[in-house]
Amino acid sequence: MNVAEWILVVILSLTLLVFLIVGIILIVKLLGIADEARKIVVRGQDIADNANGVMSNVRGMTSIGGVVQTFVDKYVEPKLKENKSTKKEEK
């Protein structure tokens, strides 16, 4: 090989090295972001559970709350449990 070919091989090799290093750094950063996103999702679920508890308490204190609570207990919750069980069976 002559000098021009060696120069092209060196340039391409260095370019590949740079892209590999940048790619590895990017993958490590994305894994860190995925962990943070997982923590945010768990925290959001906790907040939603707490809000659900607060709404249950408020619903029980209102005059129509008892009627709504009975409706939810008799009709809505069995449907939700049925949907969850069918989704688990599909998996």
Side-chain angles (χ1 to χ4, degrees):
M1 290 197 322
N2 55 16
V3 177
E5 293 171 341
W6 278 107
I7 291 173
L8 286 174
V9 168
V10 168
I11 290 172
L12 289 174
S13 299
L14 290 175
T15 305
L16 178 63
L17 177 68
V18 168
F19 278 116
L20 286 174
I21 291 172
V22 169
I24 290 170
I25 291 171
L26 181 64
I27 287 173
V28 169
K29 294 289 183 182
L30 287 175
L31 290 175
I33 290 173
D35 289 339
E36 290 297 320
R38 187 175 297 118
K39 290 177 186 176
I40 290 170
V41 168
V42 168
R43 181 70 178 143
Q45 288 173 344
D46 290 342
I47 291 171
D49 290 340
N50 290 339
N52 191 18
V54 169
M55 287 306 299
S56 298
N57 291 339
V58 170
R59 192 179 326 139
M61 290 181 206
T62 61
S63 61
I64 196 166
V67 175
V68 172
Q69 184 68 38
T70 304
F71 176 76
V72 169
D73 289 341
K74 287 187 177 180
Y75 299 107
V76 177
E77 285 185 8
K79 288 287 187 182
L80 290 176
K81 289 179 184 176
E82 182 180 307
N83 287 342
K84 285 183 183 179
S85 65
T86 57
K87 287 181 182 178
K88 288 181 183 177
E89 290 172 1
E90 289 176 2
K91 290 180 182 179

